[in-house]
Amino acid sequence: MITGSDDFLIKLWCTRTGYLLKTFKGHRSMVSDIAINTENTLLASASTDGSIRIWNLKTGEPRAVFMPGPQGREKGITAVRFSPSPIPEIRFLAATCDNGLCYLYRWNRESLTFDNTPITIDCRTKSSGNISSFAFNHTGSRLAIATSGGHIAIYSTIAGSASASSSENAESTVEAASSDSGWGEPKLIARIEAHYESITTLVFSANGEMFVTGSLDGTVKVWRCAGTNPKWWPVTVDVREPVPDLEDSPPLVVE
């Protein structure tokens, strides 16, 4: 088990005994998020000090430190995610910032090295708000970013690949892109006005054909994103409790 805290430390614990196994030090402010890659070889941590730190999970050795914001005007990093991918040579580490930007760092699974210069996705619009949640699908070929303004932006991470076809089908396009030396830059394929209030949760299904969003507006929406021309309309579940009429409310008793 791994924990991050407002004491600036990340700690690795034994779940069988409860003993502390390792402490990762380096952040200068609260740890806001942590993530582990699918091979369990790397740990990424985000902090309100504006830094992203990468660690070798087995040895505790620091692998990389990124400060994506302008020097002296760093914004806190709110979340980090490793993208899944069937392509071993290159994958993405995604990090979101409280200034509405998402940073994508390419990294190599074999050498465990990272590109120092990220791809920057600007999710700021007049009404979109800050990034509130984001997720990759099961192949890492799509990235969905939700905002506090209720908007969703969906990107293809392989659309710019030289061998990628015009199809946006995740499985066929990943297979085509696997022969490339690298993927292209993410391409915006949809922008959706999904909710009236902040989106708090965004999760892809296990097969990547759907994703679910939850919002402070009291609704949960299921979006289907499979096929070459997905239709961005949801199945909506209203989880708000009905508010009784004032006449039906029991009288207030003051003792």
Side-chain angles (χ1 to χ4, degrees):
M1 179 176 67
I2 302 175
T3 60
S5 181
D6 57 3
D7 62 2
F8 314 166
L9 301 177
I10 301 161
K11 297 180 180 180
L12 175 65
W13 307 84
C14 175
T15 56
R16 185 171 58 86
T17 64
Y19 291 162
L20 177 64
L21 301 177
K22 196 179 272 82
T23 300
F24 302 86
K25 301 179 181 180
H27 286 298
R28 297 177 287 105
S29 187
M30 181 184 72
V31 177
S32 54
D33 197 20
I34 52 179
I36 301 173
N37 67 337
T38 54
E39 294 81 20
N40 292 324
T41 55
L42 293 175
L43 166 69
S45 59
S47 172
T48 55
D49 65 9
S51 70
I52 305 158
R53 292 181 177 268
I54 316 297
W55 319 80
N56 184 307
L57 191 55
K58 183 177 181 180
T59 65
E61 173 193 6
R63 298 293 304 181
V65 180
F66 302 118
M67 299 286 291
Q71 183 139 14
R73 294 185 289 119
E74 295 87 355
K75 296 289 186 179
I77 305 299
T78 55
V80 286
R81 302 278 190 282
F82 283 99
S83 71
S85 169
I87 303 174
E89 289 80 12
I90 188 165
R91 295 182 176 188
F92 287 116
L93 170 71
T96 55
C97 187
D98 60 12
N99 61 0
L101 300 179
C102 177
Y103 302 101
L104 296 178
Y105 292 89
R106 290 188 175 96
W107 67 282
N108 186 295
R109 189 180 74 175
E110 303 301 331
S111 63
L112 301 183
T113 56
F114 289 76
D115 285 355
N116 292 323
T117 303
I119 299 168
T120 302
I121 298 176
D122 192 343
C123 299
R124 298 171 295 185
T125 65
K126 187 174 182 180
S127 58
S128 66
N130 290 329
I131 298 172
S132 56
S133 185
F134 72 102
F136 288 98
N137 68 346
H138 69 306
T139 60
S141 59
R142 280 185 177 160
L143 169 66
I145 302 174
T147 72
S148 58
H151 293 201
I152 303 170
I154 302 172
Y155 293 84
S156 170
T157 59
I158 56 179
S161 172
S163 63
S165 66
S166 59
S167 168
E168 286 297 333
N169 181 275
E171 299 297 338
S172 62
T173 314
V174 165
E175 183 179 354
S178 62
S179 62
D180 283 351
S181 60
W183 293 4
E185 292 199 4
K187 176 185 176 182
L188 179 67
I189 58 175
R191 193 182 295 276
I192 310 168
E193 294 183 14
H195 291 271
Y196 295 112
E197 295 188 37
S198 177
I199 298 172
T200 57
T201 304
L202 189 156
V203 181
F204 274 95
S205 62
N207 62 7
E209 294 184 355
M210 296 181 291
F211 65 89
V212 178
T213 55
S215 169
L216 293 178
D217 63 13
T219 62
V220 175
K221 297 187 178 185
V222 182
W223 306 83
R224 183 167 294 278
C225 52
T228 57
N229 292 298
K231 298 182 181 301
W232 303 105
W233 52 268
V235 174
T236 302
V237 178
D238 193 336
V239 297
R240 293 170 293 186
E241 294 183 1
V243 180
D245 294 334
L246 187 60
E247 295 79 10
D248 299 331
S249 300
L252 180 62
V253 179
V254 179
E255 298 181 356

